[in-house]
Amino acid sequence: MMKVAVVGIGKMGLLHAGIMNALDGVQLCAICDASKFLLDFARGLKNLPVYDDYLTMLDKEKPDAAVITTPVFLHVPMAGECVKRNIPFLLEKPLSITSTDADNLVKEIERRNLTTMVGYMMRYIETFAKAKEIMTSGALGRLITFNATIYVSQLFQRGKGWRYDKKESGGGVVIGQATHLIDLLLWYFGQVESISAHTKNWYSQELEDFAHGYIEFRSGLSGWFDSSWSIRHHRLLEVTINVHAENGNLTVTGDLVKLFLDKKAEGYSQGWTNFYKPDLFEGVKIDVGGPQYTRQDASFIDAVKSKGKVESDVKNAYEVQKIVDAVYLSASKHGEPVRL
Amino acid sequence: MLDKILLGHNQFFGVNHLEAQTGNQKEAYFSDISRIMDIINFCFENGVQAMMMSTHERARLLSEEIQRDPKLTKNLGIYLLVPYAAKYIRQANEKGLVNIVRDSLSATTFQEKLGMFWRGGVGLLTKDAKKILTAMIDFEVAPFINLNLRAIFLHDVLTDLVLGWNMPNVLELFAAHVQEKYRAIPAFCTKNLPKLMNLLEYTAIKNPLMMASINKLGFQVNPSREAFEECLHTNQLRLLAMSTLASGYLKPGEAYEYLFSLPHVESVVVGVSRKDHALETFQEIRQNWYVIPSS
């Protein structure tokens, strides 16, 4: 039985703990949180070791893997302690406050060849995975331009809690949510050449509630993204990516993929081909808050067992972090392009 | 006896599992609550006298509207789904889990409404996990207490979380509280019916009322349609079927023909937003409905 310990029992910690515990051959062995209230609550409902200090938990429980779901500023130090002990970990996104913070962590993980994963779960949503398949197939021909958005109706007054404290979260909508979109763009389009970006604070004093930017990729593809957590009429986090290419165009959201081709190519027909979620759905062992989380956690566990690969490990997340740095740097210089 | 057809309300509040954009457009149309009442009344007159309702902010307004009509207050069966998960997920993003519980528990209107026995107040209460849970349920149910509550469902986000954590005691606690305090049927919404049935074997909950997605495509059916069917054939439960059209992807005829080839389907929840569509849907279901053996 593989023992998994969870550090940080917030929304994401609860979720990962529940999924991991339900996977075959995996058992939740302990949890850790700074809130005495949450620990008392958990203790009242389940017979499970609880800790208020994660180092004590790691040393006493000796888990086979850890899940780290704490505020961002704690990610690098906590992941570092796991690395020291050779404990594979799944870390919630984003990786760190700045990419520089994670320099040594990334090197040490490579040196030890440790299995890691960072919570960019959108790669495990069927529609985004299908779009990746189509783009990789070459059916679209050379990609010319794209536009991409990520919106949610979340913040319409000053936020409370660590997510809205720049010291703890690293920033606003860019690092908190647009990182999901940036991760997808890097996954689809490869390395970035340069970025210019603008941000705007409105509801938050120190954090950006809106951000948009222009990205040039090394492949010659360029386009813009727009992100906000303060846009009305988006009950759930919604990502939309439109790509225009030599042989057609593609739109992908969390709900569907729409492909249009001038000429049939790589097994895809000429004209429109649509894939809706029901076309792509595959059941999972347990669904807690979305099948993508189960696929993600299962893929992490498999990788730990077999020393295999995962989508979105610390190295991928480090690349996302460099883009975040560039967005903030460019925005601080009124949109001056930043070369990567 | 359960109502055979239940009117769902996702379509009124912008929930669309096929396409978020469509959901948003419908939400705009139904922002005028009288348009929702119009559909409810129409369905009521056409024999569909029950409704699934989450504790969405706008469902509270709907509850007030329904209470203006004595006929609906008394006769419209309400199947309540608690808590409204999306709201808490948003609040968790906004202020964290601990603050959600604190804020909910210390809302004065809530204390007054329920006349709760506070003793040491919030501080003491928060030391008892079971009391926190039941108080949170009460907090959610309060705006709907005057309606004809037939069943109270634990939302799938919570049911499935509890399932993952392997805490059958929490499901028992929920069931006992709903039965004792509200005299309603305790029920569970889940995305993992077979796995949940396995867990319930270890509890005092027998022949439970379950709400789950089931359709010919196997959309939102875990771990697979085959395992789900197998579970229906080998367990004692009452199923309230949802997503029977796979979010509008299937034609009603083929969808209901499949649905009623399965055992234990006692109720179907449908999302209709137009009168002609409502009539057509009810007719399709009634045509395909099987006679439930021995119940």
PDB file of all heavy atoms in Angstrom, chain A residues 11 14 18 21 45-46 153 160 163-164 233 255 279 281 283-284 286-287, chain B residues 18-20 24 90 93-94 164-165 169 191-192 218 220 222-223 249:
ATOM      1  N   LYS A  11      -9.341  23.736   0.202  1.00  0.00           N
ATOM      2  CA  LYS A  11     -10.176  23.159  -0.852  1.00  0.00           C
ATOM      3  C   LYS A  11      -9.427  22.096  -1.663  1.00  0.00           C
ATOM      4  O   LYS A  11      -9.902  20.978  -1.856  1.00  0.00           O
ATOM      5  CB  LYS A  11     -10.619  24.318  -1.745  1.00  0.00           C
ATOM      6  CG  LYS A  11     -11.534  23.973  -2.853  1.00  0.00           C
ATOM      7  CD  LYS A  11     -11.723  25.180  -3.774  1.00  0.00           C
ATOM      8  CE  LYS A  11     -10.390  25.637  -4.312  1.00  0.00           C
ATOM      9  NZ  LYS A  11     -10.441  26.397  -5.573  1.00  0.00           N
ATOM     10  N   LEU A  14      -8.307  18.908   0.469  1.00  0.00           N
ATOM     11  CA  LEU A  14      -9.443  17.997   0.684  1.00  0.00           C
ATOM     12  C   LEU A  14      -9.673  17.129  -0.546  1.00  0.00           C
ATOM     13  O   LEU A  14      -9.885  15.921  -0.459  1.00  0.00           O
ATOM     14  CB  LEU A  14     -10.722  18.801   0.936  1.00  0.00           C
ATOM     15  CG  LEU A  14     -10.951  19.376   2.315  1.00  0.00           C
ATOM     16  CD1 LEU A  14     -12.164  20.298   2.294  1.00  0.00           C
ATOM     17  CD2 LEU A  14     -11.177  18.248   3.323  1.00  0.00           C
ATOM     18  N   GLY A  18      -8.974  13.075  -0.912  1.00  0.00           N
ATOM     19  CA  GLY A  18     -10.104  12.195  -1.192  1.00  0.00           C
ATOM     20  C   GLY A  18      -9.839  11.304  -2.397  1.00  0.00           C
ATOM     21  O   GLY A  18     -10.131  10.103  -2.377  1.00  0.00           O
ATOM     22  N   ASN A  21      -6.914   8.733  -1.712  1.00  0.00           N
ATOM     23  CA  ASN A  21      -7.362   7.689  -0.794  1.00  0.00           C
ATOM     24  C   ASN A  21      -8.227   6.638  -1.492  1.00  0.00           C
ATOM     25  O   ASN A  21      -8.315   5.498  -1.042  1.00  0.00           O
ATOM     26  CB  ASN A  21      -8.140   8.344   0.353  1.00  0.00           C
ATOM     27  CG  ASN A  21      -8.332   7.417   1.526  1.00  0.00           C
ATOM     28  OD1 ASN A  21      -7.402   6.733   1.934  1.00  0.00           O
ATOM     29  ND2 ASN A  21      -9.543   7.386   2.054  1.00  0.00           N
ATOM     30  N   LEU A  45     -14.110  13.627  12.737  1.00  0.00           N
ATOM     31  CA  LEU A  45     -14.836  12.840  11.747  1.00  0.00           C
ATOM     32  C   LEU A  45     -14.090  11.590  11.301  1.00  0.00           C
ATOM     33  O   LEU A  45     -14.683  10.663  10.771  1.00  0.00           O
ATOM     34  CB  LEU A  45     -15.123  13.699  10.501  1.00  0.00           C
ATOM     35  CG  LEU A  45     -16.056  14.889  10.717  1.00  0.00           C
ATOM     36  CD1 LEU A  45     -16.173  15.700   9.440  1.00  0.00           C
ATOM     37  CD2 LEU A  45     -17.433  14.442  11.180  1.00  0.00           C
ATOM     38  N   LYS A  46     -12.787  11.592  11.456  1.00  0.00           N
ATOM     39  CA  LYS A  46     -12.037  10.452  10.925  1.00  0.00           C
ATOM     40  C   LYS A  46     -10.841  10.131  11.801  1.00  0.00           C
ATOM     41  O   LYS A  46     -10.163  11.022  12.302  1.00  0.00           O
ATOM     42  CB  LYS A  46     -11.550  10.779   9.502  1.00  0.00           C
ATOM     43  CG  LYS A  46     -10.965   9.556   8.810  1.00  0.00           C
ATOM     44  CD  LYS A  46     -10.657   9.855   7.356  1.00  0.00           C
ATOM     45  CE  LYS A  46      -9.882   8.723   6.709  1.00  0.00           C
ATOM     46  NZ  LYS A  46     -10.664   7.504   6.495  1.00  0.00           N
ATOM     47  N   SER A 153     -16.046  34.636 -12.683  1.00  0.00           N
ATOM     48  CA  SER A 153     -16.694  35.659 -11.849  1.00  0.00           C
ATOM     49  C   SER A 153     -16.374  35.314 -10.398  1.00  0.00           C
ATOM     50  O   SER A 153     -17.062  34.508  -9.795  1.00  0.00           O
ATOM     51  CB  SER A 153     -18.216  35.620 -12.013  1.00  0.00           C
ATOM     52  OG  SER A 153     -18.575  35.579 -13.370  1.00  0.00           O
ATOM     53  N   LYS A 160     -10.418  38.540   0.682  1.00  0.00           N
ATOM     54  CA  LYS A 160      -9.807  38.219   1.988  1.00  0.00           C
ATOM     55  C   LYS A 160      -8.977  36.954   1.828  1.00  0.00           C
ATOM     56  O   LYS A 160      -9.230  36.154   0.946  1.00  0.00           O
ATOM     57  CB  LYS A 160     -10.904  37.918   3.010  1.00  0.00           C
ATOM     58  CG  LYS A 160     -11.702  39.106   3.480  1.00  0.00           C
ATOM     59  CD  LYS A 160     -12.646  38.639   4.606  1.00  0.00           C
ATOM     60  CE  LYS A 160     -14.056  39.124   4.355  1.00  0.00           C
ATOM     61  NZ  LYS A 160     -15.056  38.472   5.206  1.00  0.00           N
ATOM     62  N   ARG A 163      -4.876  34.312  -0.844  1.00  0.00           N
ATOM     63  CA  ARG A 163      -4.833  34.494  -2.284  1.00  0.00           C
ATOM     64  C   ARG A 163      -4.723  35.958  -2.692  1.00  0.00           C
ATOM     65  O   ARG A 163      -4.316  36.281  -3.790  1.00  0.00           O
ATOM     66  CB  ARG A 163      -6.077  33.891  -2.937  1.00  0.00           C
ATOM     67  CG  ARG A 163      -5.997  32.385  -3.069  1.00  0.00           C
ATOM     68  CD  ARG A 163      -7.232  31.819  -3.748  1.00  0.00           C
ATOM     69  NE  ARG A 163      -7.110  30.393  -3.956  1.00  0.00           N
ATOM     70  CZ  ARG A 163      -7.300  29.484  -3.024  1.00  0.00           C
ATOM     71  NH1 ARG A 163      -7.619  29.851  -1.811  1.00  0.00           N
ATOM     72  NH2 ARG A 163      -7.172  28.204  -3.287  1.00  0.00           N
ATOM     73  N   TYR A 164      -5.141  36.834  -1.796  1.00  0.00           N
ATOM     74  CA  TYR A 164      -5.165  38.261  -2.116  1.00  0.00           C
ATOM     75  C   TYR A 164      -4.088  39.027  -1.350  1.00  0.00           C
ATOM     76  O   TYR A 164      -4.130  40.240  -1.265  1.00  0.00           O
ATOM     77  CB  TYR A 164      -6.571  38.832  -1.866  1.00  0.00           C
ATOM     78  CG  TYR A 164      -7.566  38.005  -2.621  1.00  0.00           C
ATOM     79  CD1 TYR A 164      -8.250  36.958  -1.999  1.00  0.00           C
ATOM     80  CD2 TYR A 164      -7.746  38.195  -3.985  1.00  0.00           C
ATOM     81  CE1 TYR A 164      -9.100  36.145  -2.715  1.00  0.00           C
ATOM     82  CE2 TYR A 164      -8.602  37.378  -4.705  1.00  0.00           C
ATOM     83  CZ  TYR A 164      -9.274  36.358  -4.064  1.00  0.00           C
ATOM     84  OH  TYR A 164     -10.112  35.549  -4.793  1.00  0.00           O
ATOM     85  N   HIS A 233     -20.752  36.900 -15.342  1.00  0.00           N
ATOM     86  CA  HIS A 233     -21.389  35.861 -16.166  1.00  0.00           C
ATOM     87  C   HIS A 233     -20.471  34.690 -16.491  1.00  0.00           C
ATOM     88  O   HIS A 233     -20.649  34.039 -17.512  1.00  0.00           O
ATOM     89  CB  HIS A 233     -21.964  36.458 -17.466  1.00  0.00           C
ATOM     90  CG  HIS A 233     -22.701  37.742 -17.232  1.00  0.00           C
ATOM     91  ND1 HIS A 233     -23.783  37.814 -16.400  1.00  0.00           N
ATOM     92  CD2 HIS A 233     -22.475  39.005 -17.685  1.00  0.00           C
ATOM     93  CE1 HIS A 233     -24.205  39.073 -16.355  1.00  0.00           C
ATOM     94  NE2 HIS A 233     -23.423  39.803 -17.117  1.00  0.00           N
ATOM     95  N   ASP A 255     -15.526  22.796 -22.725  1.00  0.00           N
ATOM     96  CA  ASP A 255     -16.719  22.062 -23.136  1.00  0.00           C
ATOM     97  C   ASP A 255     -16.585  21.380 -24.486  1.00  0.00           C
ATOM     98  O   ASP A 255     -17.255  20.392 -24.749  1.00  0.00           O
ATOM     99  CB  ASP A 255     -17.929  23.015 -23.245  1.00  0.00           C
ATOM    100  CG  ASP A 255     -18.310  23.615 -21.913  1.00  0.00           C
ATOM    101  OD1 ASP A 255     -18.178  22.913 -20.903  1.00  0.00           O
ATOM    102  OD2 ASP A 255     -18.743  24.780 -21.883  1.00  0.00           O
ATOM    103  N   ASP A 279     -18.734  13.298 -26.339  1.00  0.00           N
ATOM    104  CA  ASP A 279     -18.003  12.489 -27.324  1.00  0.00           C
ATOM    105  C   ASP A 279     -16.695  11.976 -26.738  1.00  0.00           C
ATOM    106  O   ASP A 279     -16.196  10.924 -27.132  1.00  0.00           O
ATOM    107  CB  ASP A 279     -17.605  13.339 -28.544  1.00  0.00           C
ATOM    108  CG  ASP A 279     -18.814  13.837 -29.315  1.00  0.00           C
ATOM    109  OD1 ASP A 279     -19.742  13.037 -29.503  1.00  0.00           O
ATOM    110  OD2 ASP A 279     -18.826  15.013 -29.722  1.00  0.00           O
ATOM    111  N   PHE A 281     -15.863  11.855 -23.335  1.00  0.00           N
ATOM    112  CA  PHE A 281     -15.886  11.439 -21.929  1.00  0.00           C
ATOM    113  C   PHE A 281     -15.410  10.010 -21.710  1.00  0.00           C
ATOM    114  O   PHE A 281     -15.765   9.104 -22.448  1.00  0.00           O
ATOM    115  CB  PHE A 281     -17.316  11.572 -21.375  1.00  0.00           C
ATOM    116  CG  PHE A 281     -17.428  11.212 -19.921  1.00  0.00           C
ATOM    117  CD1 PHE A 281     -17.149  12.142 -18.934  1.00  0.00           C
ATOM    118  CD2 PHE A 281     -17.778   9.920 -19.536  1.00  0.00           C
ATOM    119  CE1 PHE A 281     -17.234  11.802 -17.594  1.00  0.00           C
ATOM    120  CE2 PHE A 281     -17.864   9.572 -18.199  1.00  0.00           C
ATOM    121  CZ  PHE A 281     -17.594  10.515 -17.228  1.00  0.00           C
ATOM    122  N   GLY A 283     -15.044   7.482 -18.213  1.00  0.00           N
ATOM    123  CA  GLY A 283     -15.264   7.401 -16.774  1.00  0.00           C
ATOM    124  C   GLY A 283     -13.955   7.259 -16.007  1.00  0.00           C
ATOM    125  O   GLY A 283     -12.948   6.824 -16.552  1.00  0.00           O
ATOM    126  N   VAL A 284     -14.008   7.654 -14.726  1.00  0.00           N
ATOM    127  CA  VAL A 284     -12.829   7.502 -13.875  1.00  0.00           C
ATOM    128  C   VAL A 284     -13.193   6.673 -12.650  1.00  0.00           C
ATOM    129  O   VAL A 284     -14.368   6.490 -12.337  1.00  0.00           O
ATOM    130  CB  VAL A 284     -12.263   8.870 -13.423  1.00  0.00           C
ATOM    131  CG1 VAL A 284     -11.586   9.582 -14.575  1.00  0.00           C
ATOM    132  CG2 VAL A 284     -13.350   9.743 -12.811  1.00  0.00           C
ATOM    133  N   ILE A 286     -12.868   7.292  -9.484  1.00  0.00           N
ATOM    134  CA  ILE A 286     -13.718   8.095  -8.601  1.00  0.00           C
ATOM    135  C   ILE A 286     -13.659   9.527  -9.112  1.00  0.00           C
ATOM    136  O   ILE A 286     -12.592   9.992  -9.505  1.00  0.00           O
ATOM    137  CB  ILE A 286     -13.280   8.025  -7.115  1.00  0.00           C
ATOM    138  CG1 ILE A 286     -14.247   8.813  -6.237  1.00  0.00           C
ATOM    139  CG2 ILE A 286     -11.847   8.526  -6.935  1.00  0.00           C
ATOM    140  CD1 ILE A 286     -14.078   8.595  -4.750  1.00  0.00           C
ATOM    141  N   ASP A 287     -14.805  10.188  -9.133  1.00  0.00           N
ATOM    142  CA  ASP A 287     -14.843  11.579  -9.551  1.00  0.00           C
ATOM    143  C   ASP A 287     -15.157  12.434  -8.328  1.00  0.00           C
ATOM    144  O   ASP A 287     -16.238  12.352  -7.765  1.00  0.00           O
ATOM    145  CB  ASP A 287     -15.917  11.757 -10.642  1.00  0.00           C
ATOM    146  CG  ASP A 287     -16.026  13.212 -11.120  1.00  0.00           C
ATOM    147  OD1 ASP A 287     -15.495  14.103 -10.424  1.00  0.00           O
ATOM    148  OD2 ASP A 287     -16.635  13.440 -12.183  1.00  0.00           O
TER     149      ASP A 287
ATOM    150  N   LEU B  18     -23.083  21.159 -21.417  1.00  0.00           N
ATOM    151  CA  LEU B  18     -22.604  20.975 -22.783  1.00  0.00           C
ATOM    152  C   LEU B  18     -21.822  22.208 -23.221  1.00  0.00           C
ATOM    153  O   LEU B  18     -20.761  22.124 -23.799  1.00  0.00           O
ATOM    154  CB  LEU B  18     -23.784  20.721 -23.722  1.00  0.00           C
ATOM    155  CG  LEU B  18     -23.472  20.008 -25.020  1.00  0.00           C
ATOM    156  CD1 LEU B  18     -22.801  18.667 -24.767  1.00  0.00           C
ATOM    157  CD2 LEU B  18     -24.753  19.794 -25.810  1.00  0.00           C
ATOM    158  N   GLU B  19     -22.347  23.352 -22.921  1.00  0.00           N
ATOM    159  CA  GLU B  19     -21.712  24.582 -23.364  1.00  0.00           C
ATOM    160  C   GLU B  19     -22.035  25.741 -22.410  1.00  0.00           C
ATOM    161  O   GLU B  19     -23.194  26.119 -22.266  1.00  0.00           O
ATOM    162  CB  GLU B  19     -22.215  24.924 -24.770  1.00  0.00           C
ATOM    163  CG  GLU B  19     -21.115  25.373 -25.683  1.00  0.00           C
ATOM    164  CD  GLU B  19     -21.592  25.545 -27.112  1.00  0.00           C
ATOM    165  OE1 GLU B  19     -22.490  24.816 -27.546  1.00  0.00           O
ATOM    166  OE2 GLU B  19     -21.057  26.423 -27.771  1.00  0.00           O
ATOM    167  N   ALA B  20     -21.005  26.258 -21.800  1.00  0.00           N
ATOM    168  CA  ALA B  20     -21.192  27.328 -20.820  1.00  0.00           C
ATOM    169  C   ALA B  20     -21.865  28.547 -21.454  1.00  0.00           C
ATOM    170  O   ALA B  20     -22.689  29.200 -20.821  1.00  0.00           O
ATOM    171  CB  ALA B  20     -19.849  27.710 -20.212  1.00  0.00           C
ATOM    172  N   ASN B  24     -25.093  30.684 -20.117  1.00  0.00           N
ATOM    173  CA  ASN B  24     -25.097  32.115 -19.813  1.00  0.00           C
ATOM    174  C   ASN B  24     -26.271  32.837 -20.479  1.00  0.00           C
ATOM    175  O   ASN B  24     -26.892  33.706 -19.892  1.00  0.00           O
ATOM    176  CB  ASN B  24     -23.782  32.750 -20.275  1.00  0.00           C
ATOM    177  CG  ASN B  24     -22.599  32.235 -19.475  1.00  0.00           C
ATOM    178  OD1 ASN B  24     -22.772  31.667 -18.396  1.00  0.00           O
ATOM    179  ND2 ASN B  24     -21.414  32.425 -20.003  1.00  0.00           N
ATOM    180  N   ARG B  90     -16.309  29.120  -4.704  1.00  0.00           N
ATOM    181  CA  ARG B  90     -15.951  30.519  -4.949  1.00  0.00           C
ATOM    182  C   ARG B  90     -15.527  31.192  -3.642  1.00  0.00           C
ATOM    183  O   ARG B  90     -14.532  31.883  -3.572  1.00  0.00           O
ATOM    184  CB  ARG B  90     -17.143  31.246  -5.571  1.00  0.00           C
ATOM    185  CG  ARG B  90     -16.726  32.376  -6.454  1.00  0.00           C
ATOM    186  CD  ARG B  90     -17.837  32.800  -7.398  1.00  0.00           C
ATOM    187  NE  ARG B  90     -19.115  32.900  -6.748  1.00  0.00           N
ATOM    188  CZ  ARG B  90     -20.223  32.345  -7.213  1.00  0.00           C
ATOM    189  NH1 ARG B  90     -20.192  31.640  -8.314  1.00  0.00           N
ATOM    190  NH2 ARG B  90     -21.367  32.495  -6.577  1.00  0.00           N
ATOM    191  N   ASN B  93     -12.149  30.190  -2.567  1.00  0.00           N
ATOM    192  CA  ASN B  93     -11.137  30.952  -3.291  1.00  0.00           C
ATOM    193  C   ASN B  93     -11.012  32.350  -2.718  1.00  0.00           C
ATOM    194  O   ASN B  93      -9.956  32.941  -2.719  1.00  0.00           O
ATOM    195  CB  ASN B  93     -11.500  31.077  -4.773  1.00  0.00           C
ATOM    196  CG  ASN B  93     -11.277  29.775  -5.510  1.00  0.00           C
ATOM    197  OD1 ASN B  93     -10.510  28.931  -5.069  1.00  0.00           O
ATOM    198  ND2 ASN B  93     -11.966  29.613  -6.617  1.00  0.00           N
ATOM    199  N   GLU B  94     -12.148  32.875  -2.267  1.00  0.00           N
ATOM    200  CA  GLU B  94     -12.157  34.265  -1.852  1.00  0.00           C
ATOM    201  C   GLU B  94     -11.670  34.450  -0.428  1.00  0.00           C
ATOM    202  O   GLU B  94     -10.967  35.390  -0.124  1.00  0.00           O
ATOM    203  CB  GLU B  94     -13.582  34.805  -2.001  1.00  0.00           C
ATOM    204  CG  GLU B  94     -13.637  36.286  -2.202  1.00  0.00           C
ATOM    205  CD  GLU B  94     -15.077  36.779  -2.149  1.00  0.00           C
ATOM    206  OE1 GLU B  94     -15.873  36.310  -2.971  1.00  0.00           O
ATOM    207  OE2 GLU B  94     -15.376  37.605  -1.276  1.00  0.00           O
ATOM    208  N   GLY B 164     -14.491   9.509  -1.030  1.00  0.00           N
ATOM    209  CA  GLY B 164     -13.048   9.411  -1.216  1.00  0.00           C
ATOM    210  C   GLY B 164     -12.325   9.287   0.115  1.00  0.00           C
ATOM    211  O   GLY B 164     -11.413   8.481   0.266  1.00  0.00           O
ATOM    212  N   TRP B 165     -12.753  10.071   1.060  1.00  0.00           N
ATOM    213  CA  TRP B 165     -12.136  10.052   2.401  1.00  0.00           C
ATOM    214  C   TRP B 165     -12.544   8.823   3.202  1.00  0.00           C
ATOM    215  O   TRP B 165     -12.047   8.601   4.300  1.00  0.00           O
ATOM    216  CB  TRP B 165     -12.513  11.325   3.171  1.00  0.00           C
ATOM    217  CG  TRP B 165     -11.663  12.499   2.854  1.00  0.00           C
ATOM    218  CD1 TRP B 165     -11.653  13.218   1.705  1.00  0.00           C
ATOM    219  CD2 TRP B 165     -10.665  13.091   3.699  1.00  0.00           C
ATOM    220  NE1 TRP B 165     -10.723  14.223   1.789  1.00  0.00           N
ATOM    221  CE2 TRP B 165     -10.114  14.176   2.995  1.00  0.00           C
ATOM    222  CE3 TRP B 165     -10.201  12.839   4.994  1.00  0.00           C
ATOM    223  CZ2 TRP B 165      -9.104  14.985   3.532  1.00  0.00           C
ATOM    224  CZ3 TRP B 165      -9.207  13.647   5.527  1.00  0.00           C
ATOM    225  CH2 TRP B 165      -8.665  14.705   4.793  1.00  0.00           C
ATOM    226  N   ASN B 169     -19.524   7.363   8.303  1.00  0.00           N
ATOM    227  CA  ASN B 169     -20.176   7.981   9.463  1.00  0.00           C
ATOM    228  C   ASN B 169     -20.789   9.337   9.129  1.00  0.00           C
ATOM    229  O   ASN B 169     -21.824   9.716   9.671  1.00  0.00           O
ATOM    230  CB  ASN B 169     -19.189   8.109  10.626  1.00  0.00           C
ATOM    231  CG  ASN B 169     -17.882   8.807  10.231  1.00  0.00           C
ATOM    232  OD1 ASN B 169     -17.419   8.668   9.088  1.00  0.00           O
ATOM    233  ND2 ASN B 169     -17.299   9.551  11.136  1.00  0.00           N
ATOM    234  N   LYS B 191     -21.483  11.139  -8.265  1.00  0.00           N
ATOM    235  CA  LYS B 191     -20.949  10.837  -9.600  1.00  0.00           C
ATOM    236  C   LYS B 191     -20.337   9.444  -9.603  1.00  0.00           C
ATOM    237  O   LYS B 191     -19.719   9.035 -10.578  1.00  0.00           O
ATOM    238  CB  LYS B 191     -19.892  11.871  -9.982  1.00  0.00           C
ATOM    239  CG  LYS B 191     -20.449  13.267 -10.215  1.00  0.00           C
ATOM    240  CD  LYS B 191     -19.447  14.082 -11.027  1.00  0.00           C
ATOM    241  CE  LYS B 191     -20.009  15.411 -11.449  1.00  0.00           C
ATOM    242  NZ  LYS B 191     -19.902  16.408 -10.368  1.00  0.00           N
ATOM    243  N   ASN B 192     -20.442   8.749  -8.483  1.00  0.00           N
ATOM    244  CA  ASN B 192     -19.787   7.444  -8.333  1.00  0.00           C
ATOM    245  C   ASN B 192     -20.725   6.437  -7.683  1.00  0.00           C
ATOM    246  O   ASN B 192     -20.446   5.913  -6.603  1.00  0.00           O
ATOM    247  CB  ASN B 192     -18.534   7.589  -7.469  1.00  0.00           C
ATOM    248  CG  ASN B 192     -17.626   8.715  -7.935  1.00  0.00           C
ATOM    249  OD1 ASN B 192     -16.912   8.576  -8.913  1.00  0.00           O
ATOM    250  ND2 ASN B 192     -17.669   9.841  -7.243  1.00  0.00           N
ATOM    251  N   GLY B 218     -23.141   7.053 -21.552  1.00  0.00           N
ATOM    252  CA  GLY B 218     -22.226   6.903 -20.424  1.00  0.00           C
ATOM    253  C   GLY B 218     -21.585   8.222 -20.033  1.00  0.00           C
ATOM    254  O   GLY B 218     -20.602   8.243 -19.292  1.00  0.00           O
ATOM    255  N   GLN B 220     -20.740  11.315 -18.017  1.00  0.00           N
ATOM    256  CA  GLN B 220     -20.736  11.594 -16.574  1.00  0.00           C
ATOM    257  C   GLN B 220     -21.136  10.387 -15.735  1.00  0.00           C
ATOM    258  O   GLN B 220     -21.671  10.524 -14.643  1.00  0.00           O
ATOM    259  CB  GLN B 220     -21.613  12.810 -16.248  1.00  0.00           C
ATOM    260  CG  GLN B 220     -21.024  14.090 -16.837  1.00  0.00           C
ATOM    261  CD  GLN B 220     -21.850  15.319 -16.543  1.00  0.00           C
ATOM    262  OE1 GLN B 220     -23.059  15.251 -16.350  1.00  0.00           O
ATOM    263  NE2 GLN B 220     -21.197  16.463 -16.521  1.00  0.00           N
ATOM    264  N   ASN B 222     -19.643   7.132 -13.889  1.00  0.00           N
ATOM    265  CA  ASN B 222     -18.386   6.545 -13.423  1.00  0.00           C
ATOM    266  C   ASN B 222     -18.634   5.248 -12.650  1.00  0.00           C
ATOM    267  O   ASN B 222     -19.646   5.145 -11.976  1.00  0.00           O
ATOM    268  CB  ASN B 222     -17.666   7.524 -12.490  1.00  0.00           C
ATOM    269  CG  ASN B 222     -17.211   8.765 -13.228  1.00  0.00           C
ATOM    270  OD1 ASN B 222     -16.466   8.684 -14.178  1.00  0.00           O
ATOM    271  ND2 ASN B 222     -17.695   9.902 -12.774  1.00  0.00           N
ATOM    272  N   PRO B 223     -17.713   4.306 -12.652  1.00  0.00           N
ATOM    273  CA  PRO B 223     -16.484   4.320 -13.446  1.00  0.00           C
ATOM    274  C   PRO B 223     -16.758   4.008 -14.921  1.00  0.00           C
ATOM    275  O   PRO B 223     -15.939   4.333 -15.768  1.00  0.00           O
ATOM    276  CB  PRO B 223     -15.638   3.224 -12.809  1.00  0.00           C
ATOM    277  CG  PRO B 223     -16.627   2.284 -12.212  1.00  0.00           C
ATOM    278  CD  PRO B 223     -17.799   3.101 -11.795  1.00  0.00           C
ATOM    279  N   TYR B 249     -27.596  15.992 -25.606  1.00  0.00           N
ATOM    280  CA  TYR B 249     -26.865  15.358 -26.688  1.00  0.00           C
ATOM    281  C   TYR B 249     -27.676  14.229 -27.315  1.00  0.00           C
ATOM    282  O   TYR B 249     -27.522  13.924 -28.485  1.00  0.00           O
ATOM    283  CB  TYR B 249     -25.544  14.818 -26.132  1.00  0.00           C
ATOM    284  CG  TYR B 249     -24.455  14.720 -27.153  1.00  0.00           C
ATOM    285  CD1 TYR B 249     -23.787  15.867 -27.598  1.00  0.00           C
ATOM    286  CD2 TYR B 249     -24.078  13.496 -27.674  1.00  0.00           C
ATOM    287  CE1 TYR B 249     -22.784  15.782 -28.536  1.00  0.00           C
ATOM    288  CE2 TYR B 249     -23.067  13.404 -28.614  1.00  0.00           C
ATOM    289  CZ  TYR B 249     -22.424  14.553 -29.045  1.00  0.00           C
ATOM    290  OH  TYR B 249     -21.435  14.464 -29.967  1.00  0.00           O
TER     291      TYR B 249
END
